[in-house]
Amino acid sequence: MSTTETTSASQTNGPGPLAGLRVLDLATLFAGPLAATLLGDFGAEVIKIEHPKRPDPSRGHGPSKDGVGLWWKLLGRNKSAITLDLSTKDGQDVLVRLAATADVVIENFRPGTLERWNLGYDRLSAANPGLVLARVTGFGQFGPYSRRPGFGTLAEAMSGFAAITGEPDGAPTLPPFGLADSIAALTTAYAVMTALAGREHTGAGQVIDMAIIEPILTVLGPQPIWYDQLGYLQPRTGNRSANNAPRNTYRTSDDRWVAVSTSSQNIAERVMRLVGRPELIEEEWFATGATRAEHADELDEAVGSWVAQRSRDEVVAAFEAAEAAVAPIYDTADVMQDPQYAALGSIAEVKDDELGSVRMQNVLFRLSDTPGGIRWAGRRHGADTDEILGRLGMDAEEIASLRSRGVL
């Protein structure tokens, strides 16, 4: 496979391990919809429900081509798209009929919104006792902040992530992408599968309360227990680590960058030999990652000066030969050309009726016997409304009546 080749995930060997699972995606921006995407990637039937006049804002987020939002092509893949005004009684009745045929509903309205629309879990579960309702909000369904508007940025700030990110003498730093939302999406997909596994034992569905502020707190690691037991607050250290050194980014002679990590002692020793400073290995402080980190200035100078005399490709080749850990710092153009990503099929080419074809990230992991796949990219707003409602037993006249009244 060449470095520019991609794998089409549209060609799957079967229906996927989640075939037969039906998911109603009522959510917008971004954690809830991405959770639904992850389920759809492995065969679940996902029905995206959007307001007739106010579609999911991700359709207009970021760059577009010929008026077609590109983010939506990724987030909306493997989903059927229908329109439904849930603030109307007729729309609510239609949703209940859809929920009666579904396994999962994912929503991210402010707490109390579904109940105000007479679509609380009591009504939905009465129509379908096995239904799993995943409720994804910034702060959860209860507590003093529960009714605040919640976005991933706020979770990145409140979790402690921003406080430890950035240079020691600089401001706290937020990520330039939806980090907290994406972590919450992964967690929501896991929570859905956990609830469905529970249904296998009880026959009953349940409600998932997913607060975006919590999953990112978990992935930050031992900070709460450090503070609880030691009163220790992790400081901002830039690209350095308090646990090992050298660990940083270094500029090469061709004005590119590489990242070096020495999380294990033997790797640290290999790096020092490679850069021509084996005498540092004999220093008493070199024996542990924590004490090496106390001498980060000296170690960074040793590695940085060696790297600065070589091109990025030369540095990577030398580290590989020495079995030391290095990675080139890529932009997306590099990712799209990288042979390892190509070998894994990490970028998929998907046929699309609006753009011809698009390349995007492939499904999240590989299964040997029941792989997932991308069957189609994000569909036009409301493209599948008539088909989906027709499957509920609605005839063309009823659908036309709902549409004329603005319900669809």
Side-chain angles (χ1 to χ4, degrees):
M1 183 177 288
S2 73
T3 59
T4 58
E5 202 171 348
T6 55
T7 296
S8 172
S10 300
Q11 306 302 314
T12 58
N13 296 324
L18 299 184
L21 190 73
R22 175 174 282 187
V23 179
L24 305 183
D25 175 10
L26 279 58
T28 59
L29 292 179
F30 284 98
L34 181 56
T37 302
L38 298 174
L39 298 172
D41 283 351
F42 286 90
E45 178 193 5
V46 180
I47 300 173
K48 176 70 178 182
I49 299 175
E50 300 172 86
H51 191 278
K53 296 181 179 178
R54 297 188 299 276
D56 189 319
S58 68
R59 290 181 179 272
H61 258 59
S64 62
K65 181 181 179 182
D66 300 331
V68 178
L70 298 178
W71 201 333
W72 169 251
K73 288 297 177 184
L74 172 68
L75 194 62
R77 73 189 191 189
N78 293 333
K79 299 180 183 181
S80 301
I82 76 170
T83 56
L84 193 60
D85 186 349
L86 299 179
S87 68
T88 65
K89 182 181 182 306
D90 286 336
Q92 294 155 13
D93 291 344
V94 172
L95 182 71
V96 172
R97 291 175 65 178
L98 283 168
T101 72
D103 298 281
V104 180
V105 172
I106 300 176
E107 63 95 4
N108 70 336
F109 301 109
R110 288 199 202 183
T113 300
L114 284 187
E115 288 74 13
R116 190 172 71 250
W117 290 340
N118 192 28
L119 291 172
Y121 189 67
D122 54 350
R123 184 182 182 192
L124 297 178
S125 61
N128 181 357
L131 185 70
V132 171
L133 173 62
R135 314 194 74 169
V136 185
T137 58
F139 302 101
Q141 295 295 310
F142 57 91
Y145 304 159
S146 61
R147 296 194 62 81
R148 290 182 182 179
F151 298 100
T153 297
L154 308 187
E156 290 146 11
M158 290 182 60
S159 62
F161 172 85
I164 64 169
T165 304
E167 294 299 322
D169 56 353
T173 301
L174 296 167
F177 65 100
L179 176 64
D181 277 315
S182 298
I183 296 171
L186 291 163
T187 311
T188 300
Y190 165 65
V192 165
M193 299 311 299
T194 301
L196 291 173
R199 190 178 71 176
E200 291 294 312
H201 300 290
T202 66
Q206 58 185 301
V207 178
I208 297 166
D209 180 5
M210 179 61 62
I212 296 174
I213 60 172
E214 291 184 301
I216 189 171
L217 181 63
T218 295
V219 302
L220 286 175
Q223 291 184 58
I225 196 169
W226 283 344
Y227 180 75
D228 174 64
Q229 295 296 304
L230 303 171
Y232 174 74
L233 294 172
Q234 181 175 333
R236 288 191 291 282
T237 57
N239 291 323
R240 288 179 172 177
S241 169
N243 302 309
N244 66 83
R247 193 262 198 185
N248 214 326
T249 59
Y250 307 94
R251 191 193 297 265
T252 62
S253 63
D254 54 350
D255 203 28
R256 309 296 289 273
W257 292 83
V258 296
V260 172
S261 177
T262 56
S263 295
S264 67
Q265 183 68 23
N266 64 337
I267 295 293
E269 293 176 5
R270 290 172 191 169
V271 170
M272 288 301 102
R273 294 189 185 99
L274 174 62
V275 304
R277 298 296 302 275
E279 75 280 2
L280 293 177
I281 299 171
E282 305 306 319
E283 296 287 346
E284 184 177 351
W285 52 260
F286 199 87
T288 71
T291 52
R292 290 200 313 273
E294 295 173 0
H295 295 260
D297 287 344
E298 185 174 359
L299 293 172
D300 276 346
E301 191 282 326
V303 176
S305 61
W306 184 91
V307 168
Q309 299 172 44
R310 293 159 176 83
S311 71
R312 187 181 73 176
D313 289 347
E314 289 172 335
V315 170
V316 172
F319 267 74
E320 185 173 0
E323 297 185 1
V326 71
I329 293 181
Y330 278 173
D331 59 21
T332 304
D334 295 315
V335 170
M336 302 288 267
Q337 299 292 326
D338 181 79
Q340 181 61 34
Y341 282 122
L344 295 174
S346 304
I347 301 297
E349 184 171 359
V350 184
K351 293 181 179 179
D352 182 68
D353 60 359
E354 292 182 284
L355 299 175
S357 70
V358 293
R359 289 192 294 167
M360 63 178 68
Q361 299 96 318
N362 209 335
V363 298
L364 199 57
F365 49 86
R366 288 162 293 281
L367 296 178
S368 61
D369 296 329
T370 55
I374 306 171
R375 300 181 295 282
W376 60 82
R379 304 268 285 156
R380 290 183 174 90
H381 183 223
D384 305 291
T385 302
D386 289 17
E387 178 190 348
I388 297 296
L389 297 188
R391 281 194 258 149
L392 282 181
M394 295 186 184
D395 58 27
E397 183 178 351
E398 185 177 3
I399 293 171
S401 176
L402 290 170
R403 184 168 282 120
S404 69
R405 301 199 303 275
V407 178
L408 305 180

